[in-house]
Amino acid sequence: MDYQLSDEEQALFDRVKDFADTVVAPAAYEYDTKRRLPLEIIAQMGELGLFALPFPESVGGLGKSYFQLCLAVEALGRVDQSIGVTLEAGVGLGVMPIYRNGTPEQHAEYLPDLVSGRALAGFGLTEARAGSDAGATQTTAVLDGDEWVVNGSKQFITNSGTPITKLVTITAVTGERELPDGTVKKELSCIIVPNGTPGFTVEEGYDKVGWHTSDTHPLTLRDVRVPAANLLGERGRGYANFLQRLDEGRIAFAALATGAAQGCLEEALRYAKSRVVFGHEIGRNQHIAFKIAKMQARVHQARLAWHDAARKMDAGLPFKMEASIAKMVCGEAAMDNARDATQIFGGYGFMNENPVARHYRDSKILEIGEGTTEVQLMIITRELGLTA
């Protein structure tokens, strides 16, 4: 396995990389300080077709591969993880559930704006007592005539409160089912809740350690009424459906982490070649050179991991374990490279205007979001036929 790209793939990566370097990077510190998602940049990403990449032309997409979406995410993640995750979550958690599981009517209503990037959508899974254990969901949805009545709360929901957020797909308990062994299990379903629905409150955004530009909110739902037709996918299949979306999303998340690791490597290498201490460039010191060599090795391993998972997914092959391996390996590579890059920069690396400082703050969530490292180890263990 190598990461040779086709001419089309290389052209896409180069185009997004140029956009990242000329548009995103110069504005990154300003928006990070303001803690505001730059809608003008999101609009330009929509014009570039980034949100449309993995969807067929029949729904307004570009008909490209999921691999190509991940290339775009990596290119953005090099310079600004917040912008990269806005695309990653916007597609993987926002558009993809509706595209994969939606009815023709839901496609017609929501996909044109979402695929074009004119609107964003969130996926409301996590709750205070239901994160890694998503089966512990407490939000409920009761069918009352031709409406669902939803009550509960969600937390850490990306793209849920922007001025262009159109909807959030939430998971909710819609009943119970008795299993063959006599035990009773919650029936989880997915329901589309448009923003602005009475009783649906997007609470004030979080004061986060990193990803300051990314939009993240807790959500409250109090007697929220939506049409019965807002059920997304088959009733009771919510758990299975969102697990599939998470498997896919972990690959793009891994690509984001690889971009972050690459960005840290580039900054450290540039500084090591230009910073003069005791009469010579610090890159001539073996302990600095070896540190950067390890950073390069991590990037190489990370990129191979997500490329392998994405290629398998696009080929229709099993990829669950590969997605978890990629998510874990790439997240750790980003965090390790951010730490090493900050150390190489010394005091300058501790200044927020330095890109490596932002990567240092941002990268920790890459070992947590879309399934912690511990969850990935659990998945890999199970795929190997072991129990843990």
Side-chain angles (χ1 to χ4, degrees):
M1 176 70 193
D2 61 30
Y3 45 77
Q4 290 296 314
L5 305 180
S6 69
D7 290 344
E8 179 183 354
E9 291 165 345
Q10 188 66 59
L12 170 68
F13 182 82
D14 290 344
R15 187 165 65 251
V16 181
K17 180 177 180 292
D18 180 69
F19 173 77
D21 289 338
T22 59
V23 177
V24 179
Y29 176 60
E30 175 187 355
Y31 286 111
D32 184 81
T33 303
K34 292 180 178 178
R35 303 194 176 204
R36 180 173 74 83
L37 182 67
L39 295 181
E40 60 274 21
I41 290 179
I42 303 304
Q44 291 180 68
M45 290 162 58
E47 292 168 2
L48 285 172
L50 302 189
F51 292 92
L53 281 169
F55 303 105
E57 294 179 7
S58 60
V59 297
L62 296 182
K64 306 302 180 182
S65 64
Y66 195 81
F67 181 88
Q68 286 170 290
L69 168 68
C70 294
L71 284 175
V73 171
E74 180 184 324
L76 293 170
R78 287 174 49 254
V79 301
D80 192 335
Q81 292 183 42
S82 288
I83 298 299
V85 78
T86 299
L87 174 62
E88 184 272 331
V91 172
L93 299 179
V95 191
M96 199 62 76
I98 294 175
Y99 170 66
R100 297 283 194 201
N101 305 119
T103 63
E105 293 76 16
Q106 290 167 342
H107 282 186
E109 183 173 359
Y110 299 115
L111 289 185
D113 285 341
L114 296 177
V115 168
S116 67
R118 293 190 299 268
L120 294 171
F123 191 83
L125 168 64
T126 304
E127 299 180 3
R129 297 184 181 179
S132 299
D133 182 12
T137 296
Q138 295 181 319
T139 297
T140 62
V142 177
L143 198 56
D144 181 20
D146 60 355
E147 292 183 320
W148 290 104
V149 182
V150 187
N151 282 280
S153 61
K154 300 291 180 177
Q155 63 181 19
F156 311 145
I157 310 305
T158 303
N159 293 340
S160 58
T162 77
I164 60 171
T165 298
K166 194 177 184 75
L167 63 99
V168 177
T169 300
I170 62 101
T171 54
V173 179
T174 52
E176 293 181 339
R177 288 186 176 181
E178 185 174 344
L179 301 180
D181 62 3
T183 60
V184 175
K185 188 176 182 180
K186 291 179 179 178
E187 174 191 83
L188 290 181
S189 304
C190 292
I191 296 173
I192 297 171
V193 180
N195 276 36
T197 302
F200 178 38
T201 304
V202 178
E203 307 290 354
E204 185 174 350
Y206 294 100
D207 181 13
K208 297 174 294 186
V209 170
W211 281 8
H212 290 162
T213 303
S214 172
D215 178 85
T216 319
H217 297 265
L219 310 175
T220 302
L221 303 102
R222 294 289 179 264
D223 293 327
V224 173
R225 288 181 173 269
V226 298
N230 281 28
L231 178 71
L232 182 62
E234 182 182 345
R235 178 171 175 170
R237 291 284 299 170
Y239 189 79
N241 289 342
F242 71 64
L243 284 181
Q244 292 173 348
R245 301 294 77 78
L246 287 176
D247 286 340
E248 296 172 355
R250 283 169 182 146
I251 302 175
F253 207 80
L256 172 67
T258 301
Q262 176 71 42
C264 289
L265 169 64
E266 292 174 6
E267 290 294 322
L269 188 59
R270 176 189 61 78
Y271 190 70
K273 291 179 177 180
S274 62
R275 173 64 167 162
V276 175
V277 177
F278 297 121
H280 59 80
E281 298 85 0
I282 62 172
R284 292 172 57 187
N285 297 325
Q286 190 178 73
H287 69 282
I288 298 291
F290 281 6
K291 197 181 291 291
I292 294 176
K294 286 186 177 181
M295 293 173 69
Q296 173 63 59
R298 293 184 195 118
V299 170
H300 181 69
Q301 293 166 339
R303 189 169 289 123
L304 287 176
W306 85 250
H307 278 215
D308 180 49
R311 295 294 194 193
K312 283 186 167 69
M313 176 186 163
D314 281 336
L317 299 172
F319 66 92
K320 187 180 187 70
M321 181 166 68
E322 287 80 1
S324 285
I325 290 173
K327 199 276 174 184
M328 178 179 68
V329 168
C330 297
E332 291 178 347
M335 190 68 248
D336 288 345
N337 275 16
R339 182 191 62 246
D340 283 351
T342 302
Q343 188 69 23
I344 288 169
F345 270 87
Y348 291 113
F350 203 61
M351 301 298 108
N352 278 328
E353 63 266 26
N354 190 321
V356 302
R358 189 167 61 252
H359 277 307
Y360 187 79
R361 288 186 285 104
D362 288 349
S363 292
K364 184 57 194 174
I365 191 62
L366 296 171
E367 298 181 308
I368 298 172
E370 297 210 25
T372 63
T373 296
E374 291 74 19
V375 166
Q376 306 318 310
L377 288 169
M378 181 178 67
I379 292 171
I380 296 166
T381 298
R382 290 174 178 174
E383 289 295 300
L384 291 172
L386 303 172
T387 57

